Amino acid sequence: METKSVVKVGSRKSQLALIQTNTIINQLKKLNPNLSFEVISMQTTGDKVLDAALSKIGEKNLFTRELELALEKKEVDFVVHSLKDLPTALPEGLLIGCIYKRDSPYDAVVMHPSNAGKKLEDLPEGSVIGTSSLRRAAQLARKFPHFKFENIRGNLNTRFRKLDEDNKYSAIILAEAGLHRMGWPDRISQVLDKDTCMYAVSQGAMAVECRNSDPFTLSLLSQIHHPETVIQCVAERAFLKKLEGGCSVPVSAFSEVKDGKLSLTGGVFSIDGKQGRIEYACDSLPESIEEKEKPTVSPNGPREFAGIVGSEKVSIATLEVAQRVGLQVAELLLNTEAKEILANAKAETAAAVIAEKQKKDAEKMKNEAEKPQANGIS
Ligand code: DPM
């Protein structure tokens, strides 16, 4: 096996991405003091297209493609992602080599300074809540039909500025994990429980992507693979994969590992939140999740579950149960009206993507037509 003394790590340039990358590197450094790590940061399409709603840009791997190309070209050895931003189908040859212990998976409310100390239930009718997540807007519209939900884009710093300075939004909704990582826990007014807003598949978990043909990096990463998180995320991702959902559909999840059992609740909602369906499945895990087993490595590389490596930390039998629970919840939903709700939500988002593109093209043409002739050639 090829060994390395310097490990190259790809990262997005955003502050949150760099914080996450450094968290993983620091853990690995502690365990491998002789290794050094070099961070190579780059911009992704998602970082460049800040003015359009995420769900309307119409690409699944918006924040990951450039980094994955660097992996494929061996310019970097691994890339740290928020797992919820990673599509359920990864490019050929790439794989999630580890998932780090999950932070809070829940969503949190950040209030406009004039609403400090309040909760969502205290806000008046017509209050504008900023979120670009169809999942958050749909679920919250069920509970708070008297609010207006409007898109807010940009990285977390930009959103805070828009919230505090524009006086348009009464509150915005963000992942609690991101707020903690950025060092803003004191701006959290309220954490949303699963009966108000179930989280996104794999929210709060950081995943490290690498090449499946790179045993050195795979073995390095396996040191920080977190069994309970892996089990939950395999179930949640298998669920999302079966529904063929990306970040552009209102699909949500809630999972637990307790008393040797894994349970998963999954929800599908219409864009306006008026329709929705929730299903649940549970199964016993085959053994204590701490028990280790040698990985089953085939000539095609390690086995994977919804893109996640099956490695020595969690047995294949355990991951098979997790995957089955995920598929079961998806199948239960697809046997109900959720199938149509989901199909309609996808069609609505696809239409919005086309409308957004047409609007952009029209603006571009208008700007070009209005441009003064550059050098007098007529
Ligand atoms: C995805 C969604 C959002 C991110 C959609 C969703 C939120 C989009 C928005 C798939 N990725 O959650 O329904 O509000 O415009 C993202 C965040 C984090 C990772 C920030 C956030 C940090 C938390 C984590 C954006 N991706 O959700 O507030 O690591 O899970």
Side-chain angles (χ1 to χ4, degrees), residues 115-158:
N115 294 322
K118 288 192 181 156
K119 305 255 175 277
L120 283 181
E121 26 288 85
D122 304 325
L123 296 180
E125 180 158 355
S127 292
V128 175
I129 311 298
T131 177
S132 296
S133 154
L134 299 174
R135 172 187 63 80
R136 289 173 181 148
Q139 291 182 98
L140 291 174
R142 294 169 78 74
K143 197 107 182 172
F144 305 100
H146 51 292
F147 291 164
K148 281 195 235 149
F149 296 90
E150 294 200 10
N151 278 319
I152 180 164
R153 281 278 293 145
N155 60 36
L156 295 185
N157 297 298
T158 312

Side-chain angles (χ1 to χ4, degrees), residues 282-354:
C282 180
D283 205 344
S284 298
L285 294 166
E287 87 248 351
S288 149
I289 56 169
E290 299 300 332
E291 208 171 289
K292 291 186 184 181
E293 193 181 270
K294 277 280 153 216
T296 40
V297 180
S298 76
N300 309 322
R303 247 189 95 179
E304 57 174 270
F305 296 82
I308 300 164
V309 72
S311 83
E312 39 197 296
K313 285 264 181 83
V314 204
S315 76
I316 296 297
T318 303
L319 294 179
E320 277 170 349
V321 170
Q323 183 160 270
R324 207 159 54 230
V325 168
L327 292 177
Q328 205 182 334
V329 177
E331 275 155 16
L332 284 169
L333 281 166
L334 292 173
N335 282 327
T336 69
E337 74 277 12
K339 187 174 180 177
E340 210 186 323
I341 296 175
L342 189 65
N344 288 339
K346 283 182 189 170
E348 238 178 275
T349 342
V353 171
I354 294 169

Side-chain angles (χ1 to χ4, degrees), residues 234-255:
V234 165
E236 293 174 23
R237 278 172 64 87
F239 160 68
L240 186 66
K241 189 169 184 179
K242 178 78 187 173
L243 294 182
E244 295 170 358
C247 60
S248 54
V249 284
V251 170
S252 62
F254 175 79
S255 70

Side-chain angles (χ1 to χ4, degrees), residues 47-63:
D47 299 310
K48 290 175 205 154
V49 207
L50 287 177
D51 51 344
L54 188 62
S55 51
K56 291 190 186 154
I57 302 170
E59 260 183 68
K60 277 194 184 160
N61 52 2
L62 217 55
F63 290 106

